[in-house]
Amino acid sequence: MLDPKTEKALAKLTEGVREVFGNDLVSFLLYGSAAGDDFVVGRSDLNCAIILERITHAHLKKLHAHLANWHKLGMAVPLLLDRKFLENGRDVFPMELHDMQAQHRLLAGEDVISALQIDGRNLRYQAEHEARSKLLRLRALYAEVGADRSRLEGLLLDSVKTFVILMRNLSRLRNVAGHRRYEDTLTQFESSAGASFPTMRHLLRVRSGSEGWRGDVDGIFEAYLEEVERLVDLIDGDETQ
């Protein structure tokens, strides 16, 4: 549930998006943590999707002209989609569309996401690609920020939810209904996979403010990296699909 200040900002965003895109607007929706139970005031962005009938260069110019002001209200760079992209991209982006479908809040227009039939045949391959890409990125970023404690903390807290979202999608492959909260998703995945990810759990709790940092951050990163590598191996060996 969002706090009153964020709800007020969201109302201003909705009004602004309606004014800017007018009759071209099909749907404006909030998705991700702000549409669920993991929103952290002062840390989480408002992730939004703007869906139009057809996207033109003029629409991009309009978005560019207003985005700086929308950032001040807490909005991340929105997804700008059109009906054709949603229809033809269902097999390429099953993970993102599944997550958006499972956790979103309609702010204006038609709820086209709920009605979308998503092809999940390629979900495992996408999950493996995402996990391996994020692992490579983590290693590269550590090379850059490893000696800077504050930046390393930010790297850990910003990346952990990505891997939990991957776990949620792997649960879908096993026809297990995914939980909305990150920590519940982690618990479910640990149970089904017969594996433990205590460092990820610690990071989720630090991120939510329910727990403080335990021990040396560099040591936490080392343990976290090992858990990410274990997750990659689990995804690689998943023969569900």
Side-chain angles (χ1 to χ4, degrees):
M1 184 175 180
L2 302 180
D3 61 292
K5 183 179 178 181
T6 305
E7 285 286 1
K8 186 177 180 179
L10 198 58
K12 287 184 179 180
L13 285 170
T14 303
E15 181 182 359
V17 168
R18 278 176 164 154
E19 289 178 358
V20 169
F21 294 104
N23 292 332
D24 294 332
L25 182 67
V26 173
S27 180
F28 179 49
L29 58 90
L30 180 72
Y31 68 95
S33 61
D37 303 316
D38 290 295
F39 184 78
V40 180
V41 177
R43 180 172 188 85
S44 300
D45 291 323
L46 296 174
N47 294 304
C48 300
I50 299 170
I51 302 170
L52 307 177
E53 285 290 348
R54 176 176 172 272
I55 297 171
T56 66
H57 182 250
H59 291 129
L60 298 179
K61 287 176 71 70
K62 287 180 179 181
L63 180 60
H64 172 72
H66 292 84
L67 194 55
N69 287 331
W70 291 349
H71 281 331
K72 293 176 183 177
L73 293 171
M75 181 197 249
V77 177
L79 285 178
L80 191 61
L81 307 167
D82 57 25
R83 286 188 186 272
K84 183 178 180 181
F85 186 96
L86 284 175
E87 181 64 27
N88 296 338
R90 292 175 297 163
D91 56 342
V92 182
F93 297 106
M95 222 167 57
E96 291 85 353
L97 292 175
H98 264 304
D99 278 330
M100 193 180 296
Q101 192 173 67
Q103 187 164 287
H104 72 277
R105 173 179 162 188
L106 184 66
L107 301 173
E110 177 188 347
D111 192 359
V112 293
I113 293 297
S114 289
L116 197 63
Q117 297 296 313
I118 301 170
D119 186 343
R121 287 176 296 177
N122 296 320
L123 197 151
R124 193 199 71 79
Y125 294 104
Q126 187 189 2
E128 182 178 349
H129 177 271
E130 290 291 323
R132 291 189 183 280
S133 297
K134 295 298 188 296
L135 174 58
L136 292 175
R137 183 66 176 155
L138 271 179
R139 291 168 175 166
L141 287 174
Y142 180 82
E144 292 183 354
V145 309
D148 188 324
R149 179 188 172 98
S150 63
R151 293 179 69 189
L152 187 56
E153 288 177 352
L155 171 61
L156 288 164
L157 297 181
D158 289 341
S159 65
V160 64
K161 69 177 184 179
T162 299
F163 294 107
V164 178
I165 289 170
L166 288 172
M167 293 176 180
R168 182 185 296 155
N169 281 278
L170 289 171
S171 294
R172 289 194 182 108
L173 282 173
R174 301 183 177 98
N175 295 316
V176 177
H179 289 282
R180 289 169 65 108
R181 292 186 66 251
Y182 293 137
E183 193 167 350
D184 292 339
T185 298
L186 176 60
T187 298
Q188 179 189 62
F189 184 79
E190 286 178 325
S191 177
S192 64
S196 179
F197 299 88
T199 306
M200 290 191 185
R201 185 177 303 278
H202 172 56
L203 292 174
L204 288 175
R205 290 177 177 176
V206 172
R207 188 176 183 277
S208 70
S210 64
E211 207 170 272
W213 289 98
R214 291 199 311 256
D216 173 58
V217 176
D218 194 67
I220 292 173
F221 182 87
E222 182 179 9
Y224 177 58
L225 200 62
E226 290 176 358
E227 291 184 9
V228 171
E229 291 169 350
R230 191 183 317 140
L231 176 61
V232 170
D233 289 341
L234 284 168
I235 297 173
D236 185 53
D238 193 315
E239 300 298 334
T240 307
Q241 285 197 5

